[in-house]
């Protein structure tokens, strides 16, 4: 039993285990959906509308049909009866105005990139060749493009609906009884305090996961099998069954290796539904893999808000009230979460600060652009950006350090658990400790001294230090809370643990990873809980026939909810094994201890490992009367609360005041995500998360022209940062374990992205604030920074405008 | 159709291909070398990077016919006798991959970078990998992995 004792001495949780997933990924032994080839498989190519808004008069498919090796060409009319419907799972108000979203409409295209026909051929190349030959007669209609103009119903995205305004969702602390009346605090501040009013732009982003989406459908068995590059195989199966009439039990959805998602694959897509419909119709396996250009135009986008904020404070900088009014661009449909995405930010604008009164409203707006939905952080980056930017403005108004104004207003470590003005209970945290550590890491005081010196000497290169003391709510989500918000599903998660005869353990989880490292982290949890070797645990996921119950992966939920289900299932295995072990050891159940994977009889050296019990249970030759010879177990966990990671991110930016060029000099963060299962995986999530937030601040924007054409529609124009655009980061942690789950963990997948954007923009504005600048619109391109510094249509109270890409300005006349 | 003959991961292969067929399509569709992947259509992402006669190329930017008579190494041919190449091992050790989709190209480019410059600075590594996009890692651990592999080699 030496090995067992050694195992017990080395806890798996907290170890920087190298990932189990890596071996196949670094040797090219991968199973991406596009790698799947089946006998007789046919290939699809989509014909997409080049117009943002157009009536489809007619579609002539004759030339395409006669093209080499084309099997058929189908239009929306051809598959009208069996294509299903793309669902919106979160109608945020009872009177939400929402167009029906058919996978392939036959009458009208509502954004540039919408699918109007599909070509089926024996090879992908032949399908694409023939797609060029499909002749669609469009009658172009006026397109609703600009968000503010669309909110005024100037042009209708869906004329039959009579308005572009989809839903107005509000939260008011006075009405909810969770705080005071925000108007009173603002009135009071106008007379004897400080009122800060700002409008910020959350530009439209594209998730830009590295693996283009791909779907294979094989209809030749009893079950129709769909492989898809998705984050949500279970939701996808439900949506297919609910809208096509195919029984759920006849559909199997598999998410094999999935190359990133970031929310972009948290969707049930027209491409999946069309592939499903074509396979059913032809009775043959079919595959559709998008090109990158298709992905950028047709995968849902993220963010895209205008944010109006009114912050009320007392003279000494103590905040009192916050009023938030959002306009959110849905694109041309309410997506899976749709208007729910900004609602996820509704409870986060108050952040870590002790506001007395709060009012939030979001008007969701339909436009003729690509539909929007969750993108890493989903609602919370938007909220964090706005509050962290305006807290800097309050600090500037008072002439104090931005950290000082935050400290004056944040929840102190001894005030947890703390119920916020939104009614959420923050269970744990220590903002003081994280901030202190981050300041130390970046050398805060030294940087401030250098900044002062550069200002005084009028240095061409100015230095700014940006602050973001973020929190977020994650671990989506308690099912009853989701129900109260009219979301269409629950937020529980499922796990089962199978004890194999050979001592190996299979963990089946309902979450569906696409890069997060669940196979490794969940193995660590099971190894610790059951006391079995890490290597003996196999994690199975992402196949609805293997993992029959699950709510999939998004919203930083996998560990905090899925991991808790794993803990419960593993604990049940131990409890089921206990009477069998007692029987085999001829001891009383009450005399057994379980530690380090071994049942031992107290006061003796007698014992059995749980793996030995598994073998004995498999043989079933000797077990107690009245129980089943079975120790596998499953569990479903429904969380009792969200959890609230927090941290302090500090960023030092240099701004060349003559050219507008910015250079990131240092980025540090100290995050508190509770207990850490695997520090290596956590570091990776932080690095990648921070980078995506930096990318929003500095590089990325989905730019549309006046006609509604996506002009940043390739990776040449949509600037996903490269290694040369970035620096190495300095990260650390403080630990305030979450009190709402057994492992004490908090989510980390979205934290970096939520935190970093305002840190970067605050740093740039901080560098040039003394030149009269108080905002620069994202992405902070050299042109925009230069214009702000020069006071050209910028600086002062006006944020910079103009498209992200300078050469678009000439074509658009400075639109957007 | 044009007949080509080349060496891929040590094996001689011969096929009739359409003149327009890209090397990456040839590798994936004709040879089943699906370890090499396609991430974009504008040669920005580098996911399809392989070695052609020992130098890295984006295989979406090379026609299959251009590889006639030449030697191609993909991610599947990088390990020798079951032993990982030092760069593969360093990617694993440094957690330089998450979803893994960019990884084959990123590793092939890193190998080429180190062949040219066995002791690169951080800046040289970042510039050398500029043609390969990763959306998961923020490149932090990729840079570390290349540094680790360089250290191991010297």
């Amino acid at each position: 039993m030496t090995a067992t004792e050694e195992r017990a001495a080395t806890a798996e949780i907290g170890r920087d285990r190298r990932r189990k997933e890596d071996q196949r990924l670094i040797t090219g032994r991968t199973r991406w959906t596009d790698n799947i080839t089946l006998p007789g498989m046919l290939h699809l190519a989509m014909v997409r509308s080049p117009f943002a808004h157009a009536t489809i008069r007619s579609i002539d498919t004759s030339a395409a049909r006669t093209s080499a090796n084309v099997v058929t060409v189908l239009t929306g009319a051809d598959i009208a009866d069996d294509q299903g419907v793309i669902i919106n799972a979160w109608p945020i108000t009872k009177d939400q105005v929402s167009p029906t979203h058919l996978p392939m409409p036959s009458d009208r295209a509502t954004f540039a990139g919408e699918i109007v026909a599909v070509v089926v051929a024996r090879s992908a190349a032949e399908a694409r060749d023939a797609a060029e030959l499909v002749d669609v007669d469009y009658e172009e209609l006026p397109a609703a493009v600009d968000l503010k103009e669309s909110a005024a119903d100037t042009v209708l995205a869906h004329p039959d609906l009579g308005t572009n305004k989809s839903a107005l969702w509000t939260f008011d602390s006075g009405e909810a009884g969770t705080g005071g009346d925000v108007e009173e605090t603002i009135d009071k501040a106008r007379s004897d305090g400080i009122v800060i009013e700002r409008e910020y732009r959350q530009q439209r982003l594209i998730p830009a996961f590295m693996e283009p989406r791909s779907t294979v459908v094989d209809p030749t068995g009893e079950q129709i099998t769909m492989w898809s590059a998705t984050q949500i195989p279970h939701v996808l199966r439900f949506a297919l069954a609910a809208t096509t009439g195919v029984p759920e039990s006849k559909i199997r959805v598999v998410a094999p290796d999935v190359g990133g998602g970031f929310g972009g694959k948290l969707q049930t897509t027209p491409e999946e539904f069309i592939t499903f419909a074509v396979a059913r119709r032809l009775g043959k396996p079919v595959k559709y893999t998008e090109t990158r250009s298709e992905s950028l135009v047709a995968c849902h986008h993220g963010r895209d808000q205008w944010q109006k904020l009114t912050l009320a404070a007392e003279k000494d900088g103590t905040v009192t009230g916050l009023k938030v009014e959002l306009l959110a661009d849905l694109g041309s449909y309410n997506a899976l979460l749709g208007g729910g995405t900004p609602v996820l930010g509704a409870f986060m604008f108050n952040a870590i600060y002790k506001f007395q009164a709060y009012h939030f409203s979001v008007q969701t707006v339909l436009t003729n652009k690509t539909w929007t939905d969750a993108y890493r952080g989903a609602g919370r980056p938007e909220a964090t950006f706005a509050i962290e930017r305006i807290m800097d403005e309050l600090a500037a108004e008072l002439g104090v350090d931005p950290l000082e104004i935050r400290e004056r207003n944040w929840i102190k470590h001894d005030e947890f658990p703390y119920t916020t003005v939104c009614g959420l209970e923050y269970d744990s945290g220590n903002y003081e400790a994280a901030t202190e550590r981050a300041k130390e890491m970046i050398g805060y005081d030294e940087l401030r001294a250098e900044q002062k010196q550069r200002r005084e000497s009028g240095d061409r290169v100015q230095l700014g230090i940006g602050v973001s003391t973020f929190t977020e709510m994650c671990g989506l989500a308690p099912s009853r809370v989701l129900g109260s918000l009219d979301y269409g599903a629950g937020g529980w998660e499922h796990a089962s643990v199978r004890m194999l005869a050979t001592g190996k353990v299979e963990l089946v989880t309902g979450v569906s990873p696409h890069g997060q490292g669940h196979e490794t982290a969940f193995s660590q949890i099971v190894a610790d809980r059951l006391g079995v070797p890490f290597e003996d645990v196999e994690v199975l996921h992402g196949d609805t026939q293997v993992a029959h119950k699950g709510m999939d992966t998004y919203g930083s939920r996998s560990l905090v909810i899925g991991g808790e289900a794993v803990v419960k299932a593993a604990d049940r295995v131990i409890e089921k094994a206990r009477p069998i072990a007692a029987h085999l050891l001829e001891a009383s159940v009450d005399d057994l201890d379980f530690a380090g994977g071994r049942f031992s009889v107290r006061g003796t050296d007698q014992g059995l490992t749980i793996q030995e019990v598994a073998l004995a249970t498999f043989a079933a030759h000797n077990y107690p009367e009245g129980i089943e010879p079975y120790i596998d177990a499953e569990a479903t966990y429904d969380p009792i609360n969200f959890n609230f990671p927090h941290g302090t991110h500090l960023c030092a930016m240099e701004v060349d005041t003559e050219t507008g060029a910015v250079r990131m000099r240092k980025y540090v963060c100290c995050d508190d995500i509770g207990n850490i299962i695997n520090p290596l995986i956590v570091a990776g999530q932080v690095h990648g998360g921070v980078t995506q937030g930096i990318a929003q601040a500095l590089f990325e924007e989905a730019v549309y022209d006046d006609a509604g054409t996506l002009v940043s529609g390739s990776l040449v124009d949509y600037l996903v940062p490269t290694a040369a655009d970035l620096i190495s980061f300095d990260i650390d942690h403080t630990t305030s374990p979450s009190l709402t789950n057994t492992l004490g963990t908090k989510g980390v997948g979205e934290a970096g992205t939520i935190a970093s954007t305002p840190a970067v923009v605050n740093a740039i504005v901080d560098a040039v604030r003394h030149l009269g600048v108080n905002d620069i619109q994202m992405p902070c391109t050299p042109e925009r920074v230069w214009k702000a510094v020069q006071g050209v249509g910028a600086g002062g109270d006006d944020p910079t405008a103009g498209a992200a890409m300078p050469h678009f300005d000439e074509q658009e006349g400075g639109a957007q | 159709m044009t007949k080509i003959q080349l060496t891929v991961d040590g094996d001689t292969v011969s096929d009739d291909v359409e003149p327009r067929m890209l090397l990456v399509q040839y590798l994936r569709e004709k040879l089943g070398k699906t370890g090499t992947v396609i991430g974009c259509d504008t040669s920005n992402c580098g996911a399809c990077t392989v070695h052609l006669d020992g130098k890295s190329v984006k295989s979406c930017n090379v026609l299959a016919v251009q590889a006639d008579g030449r030697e191609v190494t993909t991610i599947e041919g990088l390990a020798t006798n079951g032993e990982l190449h030092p760069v593969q091992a360093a990617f694993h050790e440094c957690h330089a991959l998450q979803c893994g989709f960019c990884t084959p190209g990123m590793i092939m480019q890193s190998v080429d970078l180190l062949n040219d410059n066995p002791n690169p600075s951080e800046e040289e590594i970042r510039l050398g990998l500029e043609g390969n996009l990763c959306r998961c890692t923020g490149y932090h651990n990729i840079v570390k992995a290349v540094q680790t592999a360089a250290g191991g080699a010297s």
Side-chain angles (χ1 to χ4, degrees):
Chain A
M1 289 295 120
T2 313
T4 310
E5 283 155 18
E6 278 173 11
R7 286 205 301 272
T10 328
E12 281 293 338
I13 289 179
R15 276 186 74 176
D16 57 351
R17 277 281 188 189
R18 270 50 181 174
R19 297 198 321 169
K20 289 185 168 183
E21 292 88 340
D22 291 355
Q23 185 64 28
R24 66 176 191 272
L25 297 170
I26 58 178
T27 55
R29 190 167 49 80
T30 41
R31 196 172 293 163
W32 313 110
T33 300
D34 190 46
N35 291 359
I36 295 167
T37 302
L38 299 170
M41 192 168 79
L42 301 171
H43 298 263
L44 307 188
M46 304 299 176
V47 178
R48 296 176 184 274
S49 169
F51 298 112
H53 197 191
T55 302
I56 302 165
R57 278 191 183 135
S58 64
I59 302 179
D60 181 357
T61 62
S62 54
R65 281 173 190 275
T66 56
S67 186
N69 283 320
V70 167
V71 175
T72 189
V73 182
L74 300 167
T75 66
D78 295 327
I79 59 168
D81 296 335
D82 45 22
Q83 65 172 328
V85 179
I86 305 300
I87 60 170
N88 165 230
W90 197 346
I92 56 173
T93 59
K94 299 270 182 273
D95 58 354
Q96 174 176 287
V97 173
S98 197
T100 301
H101 189 179
L102 295 176
M104 187 155 65
S106 56
D107 55 345
R108 195 167 54 94
T110 67
F111 69 95
E114 185 152 34
I115 301 165
V116 297
V118 57
V119 177
V120 189
R122 285 178 54 206
S123 76
E126 287 162 330
R128 272 182 218 160
D129 286 345
E132 300 282 321
L133 303 173
V134 174
D135 188 9
V136 186
D137 183 12
Y138 294 101
E139 181 183 352
E140 205 178 346
L141 298 169
V145 180
D146 179 76
L147 172 54
K148 285 186 176 176
E149 282 177 23
S150 299
D153 284 339
T154 317
V155 175
L156 293 182
H158 297 271
D160 53 319
L161 297 179
T163 179
N164 294 325
K165 293 196 273 292
S166 179
L168 175 67
W169 190 95
T170 60
F171 174 85
D172 187 278
S173 65
E175 286 171 17
T178 55
D181 179 347
V182 82
E183 297 299 342
E184 279 177 20
T185 61
I186 293 169
D187 287 347
K188 184 168 183 306
R190 285 198 199 284
S191 61
D192 64 358
I194 301 166
V195 177
I196 312 266
E197 292 171 288
R198 290 287 185 277
E199 184 172 34
Y200 295 123
R201 173 77 174 130
Q202 280 285 326
Q203 81 271 35
R204 181 178 273 248
L205 300 178
I206 304 179
F209 36 74
M210 288 314 300
E211 179 207 17
R213 297 171 305 169
S214 178
T215 301
V216 171
V217 178
D218 182 359
T220 61
E222 184 56 33
Q223 273 77 28
I224 304 171
T225 302
M226 172 184 284
W227 290 266
S228 196
T230 181
Q231 296 174 225
I232 51 167
H234 297 91
V235 176
L236 176 55
R237 180 166 85 145
F238 170 84
L240 287 167
T243 69
T244 63
V246 178
E248 193 176 351
S249 53
K250 297 289 187 190
I251 304 171
R252 173 188 187 186
V253 177
V254 184
D257 284 334
V258 176
F262 316 110
K265 290 170 181 168
L266 166 53
Q267 196 59 263
T268 60
T269 69
E271 290 83 356
E272 288 165 332
F273 276 61
I274 291 168
T275 309
F276 189 73
V278 171
R280 285 178 68 204
R281 169 168 295 228
L282 300 180
K284 299 285 262 180
V286 297
K287 181 198 282 187
Y288 169 72
T289 301
E290 68 185 359
T291 64
R292 175 59 62 182
S293 301
E294 286 182 292
S295 187
L296 291 171
V297 78
C299 162
H300 73 245
H301 296 174
R303 315 280 192 260
D304 207 344
Q305 296 180 355
W306 279 103
Q307 312 175 303
K308 276 175 74 172
L309 280 86
T310 309
L311 181 142
E314 291 172 7
K315 270 204 182 95
D316 68 352
T318 304
V319 297
T320 54
L322 182 65
K323 185 176 171 184
V324 177
E325 297 159 282
L326 301 185
L327 275 184
D329 193 333
L330 294 168
S332 81
Y333 296 107
N334 268 293
L336 185 63
L337 304 183
T341 298
V343 170
L344 284 172
F347 310 103
M348 281 290 115
F349 280 86
N350 53 301
I352 64 172
Y353 309 113
K354 294 185 280 188
F355 285 96
Q356 300 160 17
Y358 175 62
H359 180 89
F360 171 93
S361 72
V362 56
Q363 174 67 59
T364 59
V365 181
L366 292 157
T367 60
N368 294 116
K369 291 183 290 192
T370 303
W371 40 328
T372 62
D373 210 337
Y375 169 52
R376 203 167 190 171
R380 292 152 290 157
E382 296 92 317
T384 302
F385 176 82
I387 184 67
E388 289 302 293
R389 286 285 298 111
I390 206 166
M391 287 304 280
D392 261 32
E393 298 304 302
L394 178 60
E397 179 75 22
L398 283 161
V400 301
D401 189 280
L403 281 172
E404 189 183 324
I405 202 73
R406 285 167 171 79
E407 187 164 9
R408 191 172 302 172
N409 287 291
W410 70 37
I411 302 157
K412 306 282 185 292
H413 70 275
D414 55 3
E415 291 176 320
F416 289 94
Y418 182 89
T419 303
T420 73
V421 73
C422 294
L424 289 179
E425 187 185 281
Y426 292 2
D427 58 338
S428 69
N430 189 333
Y431 309 139
E432 298 95 321
T435 302
E436 204 46 49
R437 178 72 190 115
K439 281 177 73 176
E440 189 182 299
M441 288 159 71
I442 203 166
Y444 192 78
D445 296 337
E446 294 81 353
L447 284 173
R448 284 284 176 215
E450 182 186 332
Q451 178 184 44
K452 187 164 176 281
Q453 182 267 318
R454 282 181 190 254
R455 278 192 187 177
E456 284 169 0
S457 66
D459 198 326
R460 166 184 149 161
V461 177
Q462 290 293 317
L463 177 67
I465 300 125
V467 174
S468 172
T469 50
F470 86 106
T471 189
E472 60 139 334
M473 52 184 262
C474 68
L476 303 179
S479 297
R480 289 186 187 90
V481 174
L482 291 176
S484 73
L485 292 169
D486 301 312
Y487 182 65
W492 47 263
E493 197 43 80
H494 186 78
S496 59
V497 175
R498 304 171 182 162
M499 302 299 294
L500 305 188
T502 53
K504 304 293 180 192
V505 181
E506 284 177 343
L507 168 69
V508 182
T509 173
V511 300
S512 194
H514 36 281
Q516 291 88 345
H518 294 167
E519 290 165 35
T520 304
F522 284 15
S523 291
Q524 290 178 265
I525 296 171
V526 171
D528 253 14
R529 217 71 194 180
L530 294 180
V532 299
F534 170 77
E535 295 77 12
D536 283 354
V537 184
E538 191 76 21
V539 178
L540 306 175
H541 58 79
D543 178 341
T544 60
Q545 271 186 4
V546 175
H548 68 291
K549 276 172 72 74
M551 290 304 297
D552 306 321
T553 288
Y554 44 84
S556 302
R557 68 188 305 276
S558 294
L559 175 60
V560 294
I561 306 178
E564 193 65 12
V566 171
V567 166
K568 287 187 183 305
D571 287 355
R572 281 183 190 159
V573 168
I574 298 166
E575 289 320 302
K576 289 173 83 169
R578 190 180 294 274
I580 297 174
H583 179 82
L584 293 168
L585 290 163
E586 298 178 349
S588 161
V589 166
D590 298 333
D591 291 337
L592 284 195
D593 290 326
F594 182 75
R598 185 168 184 262
F599 290 102
S600 56
V601 183
R602 209 167 301 130
T604 75
D605 60 357
Q606 296 293 300
L608 280 174
T609 68
I610 197 159
Q611 292 169 297
E612 288 168 332
V613 177
L615 178 60
T617 307
F618 169 74
H621 296 161
N622 183 14
Y623 63 99
E625 293 292 333
I627 67 165
E628 295 175 31
Y630 183 68
I631 60 171
D632 296 358
E634 56 185 328
T636 300
Y637 174 68
D638 195 13
I640 53 172
N641 193 359
F642 297 95
N643 64 80
F644 304 95
H646 73 83
T648 298
H649 288 229
L650 299 175
C651 171
M653 296 291 295
E654 290 177 358
V655 178
D656 186 324
T657 55
E658 287 184 13
T659 65
V662 299
R663 186 177 85 88
M664 186 172 288
R665 190 156 116 188
K666 199 161 185 189
Y667 193 101
V668 308
C669 57
C670 181
D671 290 316
D672 192 328
I673 54 161
N675 293 331
I676 289 171
I677 305 298
N678 183 322
L680 203 66
I681 290 176
V682 161
Q685 288 292 324
V686 173
H687 296 149
V690 162
T691 296
Q692 283 185 19
I694 291 170
Q696 174 171 17
L698 297 181
F699 306 116
E700 296 181 19
E701 180 171 19
V703 180
Y704 281 84
D705 67 13
D706 292 343
T709 305
L710 179 69
V711 290
S712 54
S714 79
L715 289 178
V716 179
D717 304 293
Y718 189 82
L719 301 180
V720 172
T722 72
D725 296 321
L726 294 162
I727 61 171
S728 291
F729 310 116
D730 193 0
I731 73 169
D732 201 358
H733 300 279
T734 51
T735 306
S736 308
S738 168
L739 305 177
T740 61
N741 64 59
T742 319
L743 296 170
T745 59
K746 303 176 185 177
V748 70
E750 297 163 294
T753 306
I754 292 167
S756 64
T757 309
V760 176
V761 177
N762 278 342
I764 295 171
V765 173
D766 184 55
V768 293
R769 188 182 288 280
H770 64 293
L771 302 175
V773 178
N774 71 12
D775 192 25
I776 297 170
Q777 193 174 300
M778 297 186 291
C780 299
T781 57
E783 184 197 14
R784 286 179 175 176
V785 174
W786 185 84
K787 280 183 173 171
V789 170
Q790 301 300 315
V792 182
D797 285 328
D798 296 324
T800 49
M805 303 290 293
H807 63 278
F808 296 144
D809 270 353
E810 293 164 18
Q811 296 160 12
E812 294 169 18
Q816 181 62 266
Chain B
M1 289 287 188
T2 307
K3 190 163 190 69
I4 59 170
Q5 182 171 314
L6 62 156
T7 306
V8 178
D9 295 337
D11 297 327
T12 303
V13 292
S14 178
D15 279 287
D16 290 321
V17 297
E18 274 191 85
R20 68 171 177 172
M21 181 174 250
L22 302 172
L23 178 58
V24 67
Q25 292 169 324
Y26 177 70
L27 293 171
R28 289 178 57 79
E29 295 170 19
K30 292 275 189 184
L31 303 183
K33 293 273 180 188
T34 52
T36 302
V37 295
I38 302 171
C40 75
D41 46 14
T42 47
S43 73
N44 286 87
C45 82
C48 64
T49 304
V50 299
H51 291 176
L52 186 61
D53 292 337
K55 292 292 295 175
S56 73
V57 293
K58 293 180 177 179
S59 60
C60 72
N61 245 7
V62 177
L63 294 166
V65 293
Q66 290 176 289
D68 185 30
R70 301 171 75 177
E71 191 176 331
V72 174
T73 306
T74 78
I75 189 71
E76 296 173 56
L78 195 60
T80 44
N81 302 322
E83 192 169 326
L84 293 177
H85 185 282
V87 174
Q88 287 174 308
F91 268 61
H92 174 57
E93 177 61 25
C94 298
H95 184 36
L97 62 149
Q98 290 178 32
C99 84
F101 194 79
C102 76
T103 307
M106 201 62 87
I107 288 176
M108 298 310 284
Q109 181 59 25
S110 299
V111 171
D112 188 56
L113 167 71
L114 291 175
N115 284 344
D116 284 350
N117 181 357
N119 289 298
S121 65
E122 174 171 346
E123 195 187 351
E124 286 168 337
I125 293 170
R126 287 182 177 276
L127 287 171
L129 297 178
E130 198 175 18
N132 291 67
L133 295 176
C134 169
R135 193 60 157 166
C136 295
T137 65
Y139 306 100
H140 181 109
N141 284 344
I142 291 176
V143 171
K144 213 161 126 186
V146 177
Q147 287 169 330
T148 301
S154 62

